[in-house]
Amino acid sequence: QKEVEQNSGPLSVPEGAIASLNCTYSDRGSQSFFWYRQYSGKSPELIMFIYSNGDKEDGRFTAQLNKASQYVSLLIRDSQPSDSATYLCAVSDFGNEKLTFGTGTRLTIIP
Amino acid sequence: GAGVSQSPRYKVAKRGQDVALRCDPISGHVSLFWYQQALGQGPEFLTYFQNEAQLDKSGLPSDRFFAERPEGSVSTLKIQRTQQEDSAVYLCASRIGALPPWDTQYFGPGTRLTVL
């Protein structure tokens, strides 16, 4: 059973600080890693994807991947109240087309 | 361009009724996925189509669940004899290809099914 683990939170971060979200996965064959943001009552919205070890930056967001340790993280710099949402980590591997999701981490940015 | 659309957005069914949920993927997207999301959980895979072929239906919870995509575009998820445990949000996603970087899945707004 392939698993993706996330701390469910809630994670509270002051406005302007860095929010750090972590995810571990069990399948070493996983090749594609995604972070989705989901506002309450809405559908998942893609934030970032990463395929290679290391860091990938996009604006205030940085995804980090460490395949040897089987973890992927998302950093949100200069956190804004609009970043308050549930963040879902998802992984897939070539040949197993579906996304396997974690349960999500609920992030609250405190003004 | 237009994103993934789903209808209806909300559906209330009495236990034992049949329901049909529709998904219109992004134009040109070859692959289509259905997921089920229970309250407080991440989405869970139900089934996957590549064009009109259903390549994986391992996540369908029972034989009451059936999905089709006859012309390789619009897909319908049908649930027969609905049960209370079927209450969830049903999400449809589409993607343009299977290999990175074209394997990103884009989600529709979902259909919230409530079975009374």
Side-chain angles (χ1 to χ4, degrees):
Chain A
Q1 181 77 3
K2 300 176 183 179
E3 294 183 346
V4 176
E5 300 286 342
Q6 293 182 257
N7 186 326
S8 62
L11 175 65
S12 296
V13 173
E15 183 176 358
I18 296 176
S20 177
L21 305 166
N22 300 310
C23 170
T24 60
Y25 58 95
S26 64
D27 181 14
R28 284 195 172 275
S30 298
Q31 294 185 318
S32 301
F33 306 86
F34 304 87
W35 283 100
Y36 286 86
R37 177 176 63 197
Q38 188 171 30
Y39 293 114
S40 180
K42 302 295 185 183
S43 63
E45 171 193 11
L46 180 72
I47 297 296
M48 291 197 69
F49 55 85
I50 186 168
Y51 305 112
S52 303
N53 277 329
D55 295 359
K56 178 183 178 183
E57 185 174 320
D58 183 2
R60 296 187 297 112
F61 299 94
T62 298
Q64 300 174 318
L65 175 61
N66 184 324
K67 289 187 177 181
S69 300
Q70 295 177 244
Y71 85 77
V72 58
S73 63
L74 179 71
L75 301 178
I76 307 174
R77 291 181 299 281
D78 188 23
S79 297
Q80 303 296 311
S82 59
D83 295 327
S84 297
T86 295
Y87 288 80
L88 296 163
C89 172
V91 304
S92 69
D93 58 75
F94 180 64
N96 186 7
E97 312 291 340
K98 66 183 180 183
L99 289 175
T100 300
F101 284 86
T103 55
T105 297
R106 187 154 51 97
L107 174 66
T108 300
I109 306 301
I110 303 169
Chain B
V4 179
S5 61
Q6 293 185 246
S7 61
R9 293 292 313 279
Y10 304 91
K11 177 69 178 178
V12 178
K14 292 183 179 179
R15 187 162 56 93
Q17 283 185 330
D18 298 347
V19 298
L21 312 179
R22 176 188 169 107
C23 172
D24 282 86
I26 295 172
S27 177
H29 279 202
V30 170
S31 303
L32 185 147
F33 298 79
W34 285 98
Y35 293 85
Q36 180 190 60
Q37 187 174 24
L39 191 64
Q41 301 296 314
E44 293 199 0
F45 170 78
L46 295 177
T47 187
Y48 155 58
F49 291 86
Q50 184 169 303
N51 295 307
E52 68 277 7
Q54 189 175 20
L55 298 187
D56 187 348
K57 53 181 181 179
S58 63
L60 295 176
S62 77
D63 58 7
R64 297 185 295 105
F65 287 71
F66 171 77
E68 60 183 4
R69 194 186 184 199
E71 297 179 358
S73 179
V74 171
S75 177
T76 303
L77 176 66
K78 298 179 179 178
I79 308 174
Q80 297 177 326
R81 304 180 305 280
T82 52
Q83 303 295 314
Q84 285 188 323
E85 61 263 29
D86 300 334
S87 296
V89 175
Y90 290 84
L91 295 165
C92 177
S94 71
R95 73 178 188 200
I96 197 167
L99 296 176
W102 301 281
D103 62 341
T104 299
Q105 295 185 25
Y106 296 93
F107 284 83
T111 295
R112 182 177 298 276
L113 173 64
T114 303
V115 181
L116 302 177

